[in-house]
Amino acid sequence: MRVAVAILAAGRGSRLAGDVPKWFLRAGGRTIAEVQLDGLRRGGEHGSRILVVTGFRPELFDGDALGVELVHNPDWATRNNWYTLAVALEHLARDGWNGAVCVLNSDLLIGPDVVARFLEAAGTDPRSLLAVDPGAPPTAERM
């Protein structure tokens, strides 16, 4: 099954990143973008398309260098993450996408192997999948 991955990277992340999108924050010597893309590429043929929805500082995103499609959310400053997801889904619908969709938040820092396993499961299992950390404390912004 073909899987499109939508990375929601439109927000500013002012508490974490300041003047840089959260996706470009470094952790352990690599950016979150590098870690996520490494995992997606390990997922093999299941990751048919990788979309990154930009908003804040879109000029910092180079789709060709990253090997991703860029989609811009012009309303990133006044709308929430769910709207950013809608921008991605509308883009896929306009292109006639009929495969599965995997959604990643740009500040999700998990190991590349976990990302790869989830993508493989999304590409082989016809049910909906949701990866959650049951040990994470509930907060107002937890999605």
Side-chain angles (χ1 to χ4, degrees), residues 63-82:
D64 292 333
L66 294 168
V68 301
E69 293 177 54
L70 297 179
V71 182
H72 184 67
N73 172 2
D75 298 320
W76 68 271
T78 58
R79 304 298 293 266
N80 62 22
N81 221 20
W82 293 110

Side-chain angles (χ1 to χ4, degrees), residues 8-138:
L8 310 182
R12 180 178 181 149
S14 57
R15 290 176 305 218
L16 292 174
D19 211 28
V20 186
K22 291 183 282 189
W23 206 44
F24 297 124
L25 288 177
R26 298 188 85 67
R30 300 174 73 193
T31 65
I32 295 173
E34 291 168 333
V35 173
Q36 286 184 348
L37 292 173
D38 182 14
L40 293 172
R41 291 188 178 107
R42 288 185 195 188
E45 74 280 356
H46 298 294
S48 302
R49 292 175 76 174
I50 301 172
L51 287 87
V52 177
V53 185
T54 67
F56 174 67
R57 305 232 18 222
E59 73 278 4
L60 297 178
F61 294 81
D62 184 342
D64 292 333
L66 294 168
V68 301
E69 293 177 54
L70 297 179
V71 182
H72 184 67
N73 172 2
D75 298 320
W76 68 271
T78 58
R79 304 298 293 266
N80 62 22
N81 221 20
W82 293 110
Y83 183 79
T84 299
L85 174 57
V87 169
L89 295 175
E90 288 172 7
H91 176 82
L92 290 169
R94 278 192 305 273
D95 282 356
W97 182 257
N98 63 357
V101 179
C102 176
V103 180
L104 289 176
N105 286 316
S106 65
D107 59 355
L108 180 63
L109 183 59
I110 56 175
D113 290 337
V114 174
V115 174
R117 284 196 317 267
F118 185 79
L119 186 60
E120 289 167 3
T124 57
D125 193 328
R127 298 172 295 161
S128 295
L129 299 174
L130 176 64
V132 297
D133 180 356

